[in-house]
Amino acid sequence: MTLNVKKILDELYAIDPSLRAQESNLEKVILELLKTKPETRFDEHFAKQLKQRLTELPHIEQIKTSKFNSIFSINMNRTLVALGGTAFALLLVLTALASFGNKLPTLNNQSNLSFGEQKISRMAKGAFGKLAFNQAGAQATGAADASSRSAAPMAFGMGGGGGVGVAENASPKMAGDMGIGIMPPLRIYKYVYKGEPLEIKETSLDVYRRTPPSFSTQDLVQSLGRVTFGGVDLSTFNNASLTNFELVQKTDDGYIVNLNLNDGYININQNYSSWYKEQCQNGVCNSPAPLTMSDVPADEIVIALADQFLKDHKIDMTNYDRPEVDNQWKTYYLNAGRVEGTIYVPDSVTVIYPLKVNGKVVYEIGGEKRGIRVSVDIRKNKVSGAWNITSQNYESSSYDVETDATKIIKIAENGGIYGGPVYYSKEVKTEEVELQLGTPEQILTIVWNPQDQKEVTVPALKFPITNLPTDQMFWQKNIVVPIVKDVLETVMPQTRIDSVPSVTEPARPLILQDAPVAKPEAEVKR
Amino acid sequence: MDRNQQAALAAESKAGNKEAFGMLYEHFIRPIYNFIYYKTHHKETAEDLASKTFIKAYQSLHMFNDDRGPFSAWLYQIARNLVIDHYRAQKPLLNVEDVWDLSSSEDIESDTDTKLKLEKIKVYLQDLSSEQRDIVIMRIWQEMSYSEIATALGKSEASCKMSFSRSMRKLREIIPEEILIMLLLFTVITRKLL
């Protein structure tokens, strides 16, 4: 009985124990269903075409129907405050209220919403409770089959992170995007540790948890309640607090600044229609001409633009490391053997400012750096957005770490905590490729703790992949293994099964067919 | 991709960040396409409806609210509704929600190889309601958890589990013994060969 069938049966018995008496027949029913599972013939070419089509769609701006929204459409030059410091003053709202002749409320000066100075409060050992890797969440989202190895944003058009297991790393060799291609053998990656002998000396290390801001916005809400918006009396909503608001610049190349006071983060996006208004009429925007590789500025220029934006808006960068340009989209295409004319060049390039907590750089579990991401619009040579500007208040607590190096290396060689069984049909040709892991570096990484529905930043080892494939798209550069014992205990079994159960979905079809163009709507039978 | 990641990307997409929507697209295009294929058995129709799903999702982002459910659930609901609309437009006088509700003579659009493969099992799955079939397809073919299925269908996890167990019991009762014997032989032979 395969793992999957057993799991389905166990779930059934938990729902209805009497079904256990019919196990052999139920197994057959499930096997028959699995055997008859249709081959869906998912077409990568179709997926790429649709993606291209989606990029050309205009952004539908939110319809603003209430007066409430218009209050926040205020002159940013006059009221946008510095992002940083020890308290975040809501002058913009106060200015808006002043126009209604109300007395200006003040924010509680005891707020701990700081985007600048990093504060870490020490707690007792194990203060965050039993940590657990969100394995159920990982399985539910498909991450347990190694399909999603990084939570970090990637350049649009890259296609990394999707798909099932290692199969997704194989790409058909084609002449351009059209035509018939023969699928190469399915690559099964085997990670092998080739670094120095590993020794973990500490038995416990600090885990960090970002704390939400704790100030009160009641005064502010009460003041808002004195204003009537389109017939709605806000003061009738008792015990309400302001958790989120947005500032919109309607000037040329303006921004939309979203502030989440509840979770303590700020995102800045371009106000798209004000950026490309010459192409937009009556709410419909035409697509600009496609870009080429020569339009992409050098990294130094992109970083300089990003640096200047952060400086202009006084965004405190004390807790962030040196910036790097995210060029994975280029690697993606160049490794795939694409030539100019067939490469989709994104409209913007991203600069990452890696976050440091207590002096250590933080990585996503997939190996990418976490931090502020600044997007630079290539057409306008201007920053179009900045995301993940987070408040810097943390708690720290000590947790036991795994000291058995053999165990940790085994997890790394299995592809990390998202590694697991690889299923493929016996009919599929496979090719084993050895990827070598170098001596790890101790870092911090983010794990989602389902117990309290919060992220925790935990110590980890980052194993670099020292012989990255250069002949195809392969975006993962590191294998990150958290070393906190609680987290490792909840990681799924690490057994790799490189053979096929009797009924398994083939990894992908071996022969691709010309993808027919989707019928125009008028021709679809009704 | 967990719910928070979906919500964060959806929020950024709403604000005009196409890269963020691109990430959501990359994550969901295959499962959504597969879901639609399992309900239409026709590649071109599945591609057409999958395209419409994402275009509609992109154009309706301002209506998405994470408080009401995760982005994945919203996306599945769009896909499901588009499939229903597709078949109701084709067969306005019949209560047809997907290809499983069609008889072989009515089902002229399906891919031949799929039709042949599902010939026997279709008769039995037709006896299930559209929703029961969706749950069976999502659990067994798409390996979704009950939690995911519940949010995709807008139901409680408990009712999805009950529905699945009832479907399995029903299938056990209606699939003829000769098929089960054949399956038993198949399993025995396969094990011996392995």
Side-chain angles (χ1 to χ4, degrees):
Chain A
M1 191 189 293
T2 67
L3 214 63
N4 190 25
V5 174
K6 186 176 182 324
K7 189 167 179 238
I8 294 172
L9 286 169
D10 286 344
E11 284 166 358
L12 275 170
Y13 304 150
I15 302 162
D16 184 354
S18 69
L19 286 172
R20 199 180 278 277
Q22 301 176 45
E23 179 166 292
S24 63
N25 287 331
L26 283 171
E27 186 188 353
K28 288 169 192 109
V29 170
I30 295 168
L31 283 172
E32 177 66 10
L33 286 167
L34 286 170
K35 187 169 144 260
T36 53
K37 181 177 169 182
E39 175 51 58
T40 62
R41 298 190 285 153
F42 181 79
D43 190 334
E44 292 286 357
H45 176 62
F46 147 73
K48 280 177 197 144
Q49 277 193 323
L50 176 56
K51 195 172 193 179
Q52 177 64 32
R53 198 171 151 197
L54 288 167
T55 64
E56 291 161 5
L57 289 175
H59 170 58
I60 306 293
E61 197 175 358
Q62 267 186 291
I63 298 166
K64 294 182 175 61
T65 54
S66 72
K67 285 184 195 173
F68 186 84
N69 285 326
S70 65
I71 283 175
F72 294 101
S73 301
I74 48 182
N75 188 334
M76 295 280 275
N77 289 332
R78 187 159 61 92
T79 56
L80 186 65
V81 297
L83 300 175
T86 55
F88 188 78
L90 300 171
L91 293 179
L92 43 99
V93 174
L94 307 183
T95 308
L97 286 172
S99 68
F100 285 86
N102 292 297
K103 186 180 173 190
L104 299 179
T106 53
L107 199 58
N108 183 340
N109 286 334
Q110 302 303 311
S111 87
N112 65 350
L113 181 60
S114 166
F115 289 86
E117 183 193 350
Q118 194 169 81
K119 292 178 186 167
I120 302 175
S121 308
R122 187 105 199 126
M123 313 282 282
K125 185 170 180 179
F128 308 144
K130 177 97 175 140
L131 299 180
F133 167 58
N134 186 13
Q135 184 175 2
Q139 284 178 343
T141 58
D145 63 359
S147 65
S148 176
R149 299 197 181 204
S150 172
M154 292 177 193
F156 192 78
M158 197 186 129
V164 176
V166 296
E168 205 58 31
N169 287 320
S171 62
K173 301 288 181 196
M174 287 180 159
D177 273 329
M178 303 297 290
I180 296 171
I182 304 294
M183 285 299 295
L186 175 67
R187 281 193 176 180
I188 306 292
Y189 292 106
K190 194 178 155 77
Y191 298 96
V192 178
Y193 182 64
K194 297 280 190 190
E196 301 290 320
L198 189 59
E199 192 190 342
I200 300 159
K201 291 178 184 155
E202 302 95 341
T203 54
S204 64
L205 286 168
D206 283 344
V207 168
Y208 303 91
R209 184 172 70 179
R210 200 162 63 87
T211 54
S214 62
F215 57 81
S216 166
T217 55
Q218 270 202 346
D219 284 350
L220 188 58
V221 174
Q222 276 170 14
S223 297
L224 283 170
R226 288 184 220 130
V227 183
T228 305
F229 298 100
V232 177
D233 184 355
L234 293 180
S235 68
T236 59
F237 295 96
N238 299 324
N239 300 316
S241 57
L242 188 66
T243 60
N244 199 310
F245 63 91
E246 207 166 73
L247 310 177
V248 178
Q249 277 186 306
K250 289 192 170 176
T251 51
D252 286 350
D253 298 351
Y255 294 99
I256 298 174
V257 183
N258 182 281
L259 297 100
N260 185 314
L261 302 175
N262 212 37
D263 296 325
Y265 66 80
I266 295 169
N267 287 329
I268 302 169
N269 284 280
Q270 61 183 163
N271 185 355
Y272 189 85
S273 57
S274 76
W275 279 55
Y276 291 99
K277 48 185 189 197
E278 65 276 9
Q279 287 157 352
C280 296
Q281 285 182 353
N282 301 321
V284 177
C285 300
N286 297 315
S287 310
L291 293 167
T292 62
M293 290 292 281
S294 56
D295 292 320
V296 182
D299 286 0
E300 302 77 46
I301 297 173
V302 171
I303 288 174
L305 287 167
D307 280 348
Q308 190 59 48
F309 176 86
L310 297 169
K311 193 175 161 196
D312 288 346
H313 296 288
K314 299 187 177 66
I315 296 172
D316 193 320
M317 301 303 290
T318 313
N319 306 305
Y320 298 89
D321 208 1
R322 283 188 312 279
E324 309 164 5
V325 176
D326 183 354
N327 279 318
Q328 287 214 59
W329 63 274
K330 266 191 215 169
T331 314
Y332 173 90
Y333 286 118
L334 293 172
N335 278 359
R338 295 290 183 87
V339 297
E340 182 79 46
T342 66
I343 295 174
Y344 170 73
V345 176
D347 286 351
S348 57
V349 176
T350 302
V351 181
I352 306 163
Y353 290 79
L355 171 68
K356 290 192 291 187
V357 173
N358 206 15
K360 272 207 166 59
V361 174
V362 181
Y363 287 76
E364 305 287 355
I365 202 71
E368 297 293 321
K369 289 180 183 172
R370 174 173 279 214
I372 292 178
R373 290 181 166 258
V374 180
S375 185
V376 178
D377 185 301
I378 294 170
R379 295 176 195 280
K380 293 200 168 223
N381 268 348
K382 197 173 154 80
V383 167
S384 56
W387 303 283
N388 293 341
I389 303 167
T390 53
S391 59
Q392 294 296 311
N393 296 90
Y394 291 86
E395 293 166 330
S396 71
S397 174
S398 169
Y399 276 79
D400 290 339
V401 297
E402 181 59 63
T403 52
D404 182 350
T406 318
K407 217 186 233 185
I408 294 180
I409 289 173
K410 192 175 171 188
I411 294 172
E413 287 183 334
N414 205 58
I417 59 174
Y418 282 126
V422 177
Y423 290 104
Y424 52 88
S425 169
K426 273 185 180 163
E427 288 78 36
V428 174
K429 274 191 201 162
T430 60
E431 174 194 353
E432 194 171 87
V433 173
E434 183 180 285
L435 292 180
Q436 295 175 0
L437 301 177
T439 308
E441 174 195 342
Q442 197 176 326
I443 56 159
L444 292 172
T445 191
I446 305 288
V447 171
W448 178 256
N449 184 15
Q451 314 280 20
D452 62 359
Q453 299 288 301
K454 280 182 166 56
E455 281 184 342
V456 281
T457 306
V458 301
L461 292 180
K462 175 174 72 82
F463 293 79
I465 299 171
T466 56
N467 60 332
L468 288 166
T470 54
D471 60 341
Q472 58 157 202
M473 301 164 271
F474 192 90
W475 51 264
Q476 187 159 16
K477 296 196 177 76
N478 307 290
I479 301 289
V480 172
V481 180
I483 54 176
V484 171
K485 273 192 172 167
D486 277 2
V487 174
L488 289 180
E489 271 168 22
T490 53
V491 171
M492 69 185 285
Q494 296 298 306
T495 315
R496 276 182 75 108
I497 303 171
D498 291 337
S499 61
V500 60
S502 55
V503 281
T504 308
E505 174 192 22
R508 65 172 67 244
L510 296 178
I511 306 291
L512 295 178
Q513 297 169 359
D514 269 333
V517 175
K519 290 177 193 169
E521 201 164 321
E523 291 177 27
V524 171
K525 287 179 197 171
R526 296 273 180 233
Chain B
M1 191 184 284
D2 64 27
R3 180 172 175 165
N4 288 302
Q5 289 167 336
Q6 290 176 34
L9 288 171
E12 290 185 20
S13 303
K14 267 194 208 185
N17 182 351
K18 288 188 176 181
E19 290 177 14
F21 191 77
M23 287 186 66
L24 288 167
Y25 172 82
E26 283 294 339
H27 187 79
F28 287 111
I29 178 60
R30 192 187 281 265
I32 290 286
Y33 167 86
N34 285 348
F35 173 70
I36 295 173
Y37 187 89
Y38 293 140
K39 290 173 74 62
T40 60
H41 301 171
H42 189 238
K43 182 174 179 281
E44 284 75 21
T45 305
E47 287 177 354
D48 185 35
L49 295 178
S51 302
K52 285 181 176 157
T53 300
F54 282 95
I55 290 170
K56 192 166 182 180
Y58 183 77
Q59 292 177 333
S60 311
L61 271 172
H62 58 281
M63 291 168 59
F64 169 68
N65 185 343
D66 184 63
D67 290 340
R68 286 191 232 124
F71 181 83
S72 55
W74 186 64
L75 204 60
Y76 270 100
Q77 275 163 18
I78 294 174
R80 201 158 180 266
N81 290 342
L82 283 168
V83 171
I84 292 172
D85 289 346
H86 171 73
Y87 282 99
R88 286 195 176 151
Q90 279 193 27
K91 308 275 179 191
L93 298 178
L94 300 175
N95 184 22
V96 173
E97 290 198 350
D98 55 31
V99 71
W100 297 94
D101 290 330
L102 295 174
S103 67
S104 290
S105 57
E106 289 165 321
D107 175 18
I108 51 175
E109 206 174 50
S110 292
D111 297 329
T112 309
D113 53 348
T114 299
K115 214 192 257 190
L116 288 169
K117 202 173 187 180
L118 296 176
E119 211 175 281
K120 280 191 183 131
I121 204 82
K122 188 176 182 182
V123 172
Y124 310 120
L125 287 176
Q126 266 180 338
D127 263 13
L128 302 178
S129 70
S130 168
E131 194 177 88
Q132 283 177 317
R133 271 200 304 274
D134 278 354
I135 294 173
V136 169
I137 284 169
M138 285 173 158
R139 186 65 199 92
I140 296 188
W141 287 351
Q142 292 198 272
E143 296 179 35
M144 291 167 70
S145 69
Y146 287 112
S147 169
E148 282 185 305
I149 294 170
T151 46
L153 298 179
K155 303 186 78 68
S156 72
E157 202 173 314
S159 71
C160 289
K161 285 178 177 175
M162 280 314 301
S163 177
F164 184 73
S165 89
R166 281 189 200 125
S167 301
M168 293 307 295
R169 196 182 270 283
K170 197 170 184 182
L171 286 172
R172 160 66 191 92
E173 285 161 13
I174 62 179
I175 290 180
E177 278 295 331
E178 56 263 30
I179 298 258
L180 292 176
I181 289 167
M182 280 172 61
L183 283 169
L184 174 64
L185 284 171
F186 171 79
T187 312
V188 167
I189 291 165
T190 312
R191 281 185 186 154
K192 280 200 169 159
L193 288 173
L194 289 174

